[in-house]
Amino acid sequence: MIDLAAGKGFRSLPRPALRAAAAFLLLCAAAASSAAAPDLLALFQPGDATDVLSGGLALPGGLRAAPSLDVPLSLLEFPTSASVSCTRSRPFRQDGSDRWRVGGSSAEALLNVRDRGTAGDIAVGAVYESSSLSLRESGRANAEGSLSPKTRTAGIAVARGGLAAGVSVGRESHEGLITSTRFVGIESAPGLGQGFLAWTQSHPCLAVEVRSAFGRHEAGLLHRQSNGQARISTVSDGQAYHVRQNSSSWVWAPHWAWRDGGFTAIGLLSWSSGSTTGPVAVGNLVAGSLTGEARGSSQAIALRSDGPGASQMWSFEHTRQHGDLRASAGGFLFPGILSKSYSTLDYLGYERYSLRCGQERRNGSVSLRAGLLLSYGQVDLRLRATQSRFLRPPIVLADERLDNGELWVLAPSVGAGLKTGDWIFDAGASVFFALLEDGIEDAEEPGGGDPGAHNHVRPSYRWGVTVRKLL
């Protein structure tokens, strides 16, 4: 997926078909590892999508004064209401002889009901969210891909005195399909010259959050976990292959806050881990296996000041994630005796630093916002694929690496809000300016890459709208 999403920004390499196929298999393992897997899209659009609406005022880690079932206690921060949010983005694009596009959209409907009683506060909520991600490449190679995640979640939160707790449960599902002329030897039908990979995934998820306030201090802990199944299918050498995966993941995220009037300081940590494993089958016959693991961590510091007519915030965030994939398929009884045997060993890791600042001015029922995101990231990629036949030495199909590929992003944003009666309207937009610097190398053909090349990516955008009705 690295190749298809930002491939021509990373230049052309020898054997691009196998590089793309191996990279996409790595994405499949990452997706099967759920939320704990490396967020590949974050490589291309770092920052929180809600920042588009809040103008950089959204706190890191999902800690915000708006209902969100990913953070159950936020249900207590907003009155009874129903809302609909829509976002659309084209995080990056590049033109030329080889063009590529990355685009995404999402729609969310949320109902939040809060009641303040003498014994404390209670809030319940339900949300349905549907998203889509599209990838397109044209030029010397053609590719089209899509990913469609859907989420259905319900949650409850209670608070009494300085103690609050919340829990949410739901199910996430994904459907994806990619076709590409890069998949040489993986064909949906003889003679078409392009192949496909398709996958479906479904897993239940659970989030639990607890926080306690004592004086001006507050401490909290968030835990999320999920377990599910994924199925991937393709055709190679006239054989239909199916990968059935069992996946699990978890996230732990403690935070600490200090409040003094309208000033808040927050420190946030998080750790995540995920794994996926399962057989590769041809019909009912097991012909290989695929195993993947992912790990990540993040740290953030944020300062926010809220006054009667203005708010300011800045944050510094650091994220590090990495994952690996080991897969083999084909070669019944002995490697290649009845068919070719394939194997791959891949690695993807990235590290990102982000600095955000935002400001809001309020005048009666109208608010205006402005924000700025500056992000720097490094990507490391290892792809190795081999093919074996009976009584023949293995053939290295791909042995490539990307060391310290760099991505700079500058994204200014603007937003506005309006409250009229029981209706609240929020809208925002961001423009992304990016610079890619890569150093891809092919182990079999030294000098085949273009180390140190700079690639300017055309400015791209993201916008969003939220309509909320107080009930």
Side-chain angles (χ1 to χ4, degrees):
M1 185 64 75
I2 289 294
D3 180 66
L4 298 177
K8 305 325 294 180
F10 285 147
R11 304 290 187 181
S12 297
L13 294 180
R15 302 183 181 88
L18 297 202
R19 177 167 56 97
F24 184 77
L25 283 176
L26 181 59
L27 170 72
C28 293
S33 297
S34 184
D39 183 1
L40 298 189
L41 187 58
L43 294 173
F44 310 108
Q45 55 173 33
D48 195 306
T50 59
D51 257 12
V52 175
L53 304 179
S54 63
L57 294 170
L59 294 171
L63 303 172
R64 60 179 70 93
S68 169
L69 291 173
D70 290 335
V71 184
L73 292 184
S74 66
L75 295 172
L76 296 167
E77 306 297 332
F78 209 80
T80 298
S81 61
S83 64
V84 176
S85 299
C86 300
T87 61
R88 186 167 181 83
S89 64
R90 179 177 285 172
F92 292 106
R93 52 180 173 157
Q94 181 165 298
D95 291 330
S97 58
D98 294 293
R99 308 189 337 173
W100 55 267
R101 298 285 190 273
V102 181
S105 63
S106 67
E108 177 185 271
L110 184 144
L111 176 65
N112 185 61
V113 179
R114 180 181 175 186
D115 179 64
R116 289 185 171 179
T118 56
D121 290 5
I122 183 171
V124 296
V127 66
Y128 176 82
E129 181 179 10
S130 178
S131 305
S132 66
L133 171 67
S134 63
L135 308 169
R136 288 182 174 84
E137 181 183 11
S138 60
R140 285 173 293 180
N142 290 279
E144 288 191 8
S146 63
L147 171 66
S148 301
K150 292 180 175 60
T151 303
R152 298 165 294 278
T153 316
I156 183 171
V158 295
R160 183 175 183 179
L163 183 64
V167 60
S168 63
V169 295
R171 178 175 292 276
E172 298 179 0
S173 60
H174 303 260
E175 294 183 358
L177 172 66
I178 187 168
T179 60
S180 176
T181 56
R182 292 188 178 276
F183 294 148
V184 175
I186 303 178
E187 298 183 1
S188 53
L192 278 183
Q194 71 176 17
F196 79 94
L197 285 169
W199 76 98
T200 60
Q201 175 187 0
S202 178
H203 57 268
C205 50
L206 168 70
V208 179
E209 188 182 10
V210 179
R211 75 181 180 202
S212 178
F214 40 96
R216 297 179 179 178
H217 300 270
E218 174 186 297
L221 178 64
L222 171 68
H223 174 64
R224 284 199 300 265
Q225 68 178 44
S226 65
N227 294 277
Q229 294 182 336
R231 182 180 176 89
I232 309 168
S233 61
T234 188
V235 173
S236 180
D237 296 328
Q239 296 282 358
Y241 288 84
H242 304 282
V243 183
R244 297 186 296 271
Q245 295 287 289
N246 293 315
S247 63
S248 63
S249 65
W250 54 259
V251 178
W252 289 97
H255 80 270
W256 167 87
W258 181 77
R259 307 178 190 274
D260 185 10
F263 178 79
T264 303
I266 291 180
L268 178 75
L269 303 174
S270 75
W271 298 271
S272 63
S273 179
S275 63
T276 178
T277 183
V280 177
V282 178
N284 294 323
L285 181 64
V286 175
S289 64
L290 185 150
T291 302
E293 295 180 351
R295 296 158 297 280
S297 63
S298 66
Q299 306 83 36
I301 297 176
L303 302 177
R304 177 161 176 157
S305 176
D306 295 296
S311 297
Q312 298 85 29
M313 195 205 79
W314 73 267
S315 69
F316 178 78
E317 303 161 44
H318 169 254
T319 300
R320 176 183 294 166
Q321 292 189 327
H322 54 97
D324 56 71
L325 170 71
R326 299 172 297 279
S328 62
F332 308 111
L333 300 180
F334 299 101
I337 192 170
L338 296 179
S339 68
K340 300 174 186 177
S341 176
Y342 299 92
S343 65
T344 183
L345 178 62
D346 307 320
Y347 170 83
L348 171 67
Y350 77 87
E351 188 171 10
R352 187 180 73 241
Y353 299 87
S354 300
L355 179 65
R356 293 188 293 137
C357 59
Q359 187 172 30
E360 180 183 58
R361 296 287 182 178
R362 296 179 293 273
N363 184 5
S365 59
V366 178
S367 59
L368 300 176
R369 313 177 188 112
L372 185 68
L373 164 71
L374 176 62
S375 177
Y376 167 77
Q378 287 188 337
V379 185
D380 292 298
L381 180 66
R382 308 283 188 273
L383 297 175
R384 180 175 175 84
T386 59
Q387 179 193 87
S388 299
R389 293 185 178 183
F390 187 58
L391 297 180
R392 296 183 184 180
I395 300 174
V396 178
L397 301 174
D399 190 0
E400 298 161 353
R401 57 192 297 167
L402 169 63
D403 291 321
N404 298 325
E406 297 181 336
L407 173 63
W408 287 91
V409 177
L410 179 67
S413 63
V414 294
L418 173 66
K419 181 178 181 181
T420 171
D422 292 333
W423 292 88
I424 301 174
F425 302 89
D426 289 286
S430 291
V431 180
F432 287 79
F433 302 92
L435 174 67
L436 287 168
E437 181 178 358
D438 62 75
I440 296 181
E441 297 180 0
D442 190 311
E444 290 193 309
E445 297 187 24
D450 193 2
H454 288 74
N455 300 276
H456 295 274
V457 181
R458 291 186 58 187
S460 301
Y461 65 85
R462 186 192 302 170
W463 60 265
V465 177
T466 294
V467 179
R468 186 175 290 113
K469 175 67 167 65
L470 303 180
L471 301 177

